[in-house]
Amino acid sequence: MKTIENLSLSGQRALVRVDFNVPLTEEGQVANDKRILATLPTITYLADHGAKVILLSHLGRPKAAPDAKYSLRPVAEALAVRLGRPVGFCEEAVGPKAEAAVSALESGDILLLENVRFYPGEERGDADFAAQLAKHGDCYVNDAFGTAHRAHSSTTIVAQHFPGKCAFGYVMAAEIENVNRVLQSSERPALAIVGGSKVSSKIDILQRLMDRVDHIIIGGGMSFTFIKAQGGEVGQSICELDHLQTAREIMSLAEQKGVTLHLPSDVLAADDFSPTANTQICSIFDIPAAWQGLDAGPESIKAFIEVVQKAKTLLWNGPLGVFEMEAFAGGTREVGEAIAEATERGLFSLVGGGDSVSAVEQFGLSDRMSYISTGGGAMLEYLEGKTLPGIQAILDFA
Ligand code: AMP
């Protein structure tokens, strides 16, 4: 894999696509700088090796036109504080102003250009817009795993202008290496925990994992479709009636491939989708008609933890209950804690996909997992086996 360490950098203009799509407060300040922190090693390496660093990113969903609400200016300020060095900002990403700002750079300087999604060409993957961006650089680095599944100008198309001079930044390289480590699952048994609300959004992942892991725990809302498919009564629980056959196919594929599927046996049911609902523990096959399962029950949690304790490689995608409500966070938290403990004893644990990452953060377990993916949608597509255009472009033009 070609990384920034393979580029010749001294005096060169390094055009770097980063993922600074950070949440902002109402006052326009950076609310969570996790993504900024993740890019510091790449930016520091480039600047310390004499490159002129030109950063590109998107922020939010502006309507292909400038919108002060989505300006990257506050991000430049937050980045400067974190880096402990000045970061220039230009209120345009292409055109004479941006070109002048770039040509004023000296080795080691860092410049952030304005939100690339202020331009209609970006999301269209427009070749002219990519050519204008390319004017800023002598080499191109992609470190934005979170948008690697988009064939946009700044994430993919621009790479064509840098044959032999493209590389992955450290965030990208770490994401690819860690997910591949799980998908290649050399350390067995390998376990995938797949939760969340819908089977329909996880079919491709489940199918692909069948060739790669020994055990799959299916939890959260999606488990009810599997229970219903086996004739269980799931009451008001979230259930995709149009995917009962899908659930049956996944179960028979697991059998064929020798993968052990673990479904919950009991459930914490509630009489309302509310943090103050009345609750009871019942068999997941026998949920009263007016009730809904919102978390794994104690027997299921215990069984899941036993599987976690035996695993050597683990992928976790999707919560095991409605963890956003404290009353239904227990299953996700307890299994999360078991993963953290097993990781301390040598398990390789990767948490990927938006909601499980938020859950792990909410429970303060992030630092105790082996690796937490920064890219939600991109990670899911990678796990599904799709070619991510942002990754492919670097491989093609490295
Ligand atoms: P996903 O985006 O498909 O990974 O689903 C994540 C969402 O699933 C979270 O917001 C959880 O609250 C929700 N979820 C998990 N378990 C359940 C459940 N038993 N009933 C309803 N929603 C659930």
Side-chain angles (χ1 to χ4, degrees), residues 196-198 201-202 220-221 224 238 273 293-294 318-319 321-324 355:
S197 53
K198 290 183 173 168
S201 60
K202 308 274 164 94
F224 300 106
I238 185 171
F273 188 85
L294 295 184
V322 184
F323 73 98
E324 297 94 333
D355 273 315

Side-chain angles (χ1 to χ4, degrees), residues 232-296:
E233 292 297 340
V234 299
Q236 300 300 309
S237 308
I238 185 171
C239 178
E240 288 174 282
L241 293 175
D242 50 342
H243 278 289
L244 298 181
Q245 188 51 27
T246 310
R248 288 186 200 109
E249 282 164 15
I250 291 170
M251 288 187 282
S252 73
L253 188 64
E255 207 175 313
Q256 252 177 53
K257 302 265 182 186
V259 174
T260 314
L261 272 195
H262 305 264
L263 282 157
S265 54
D266 62 349
V267 73
L268 179 62
D271 61 357
D272 191 12
F273 188 85
S274 146
T276 54
N278 296 306
T279 60
Q280 63 170 308
I281 289 158
C282 50
S283 156
I284 198 166
F285 283 91
D286 207 5
I287 301 174
W291 293 62
Q292 53 189 300
L294 295 184
D295 196 9

Side-chain angles (χ1 to χ4, degrees), residues 325-384:
M325 296 185 208
E326 185 46 40
F328 309 108
T332 308
R333 180 189 286 113
E334 283 186 49
V335 172
E337 274 167 10
I339 297 172
E341 278 162 27
T343 304
E344 278 145 15
R345 291 194 307 271
L347 166 73
F348 179 78
S349 55
L350 183 144
V351 186
D355 273 315
S356 23
V357 174
S358 326
V360 164
E361 280 171 3
Q362 182 178 312
F363 304 142
L365 296 171
S366 309
D367 294 341
R368 298 171 64 201
M369 304 293 172
S370 308
Y371 189 74
I372 305 225
S373 170
T374 58
M379 172 58 78
L380 294 186
E381 292 196 18
Y382 195 83
L383 288 173
E384 285 168 7

Side-chain angles (χ1 to χ4, degrees), residues 2 133 195 307 373:
K2 189 167 165 189
L133 290 173
V307 185
S373 170

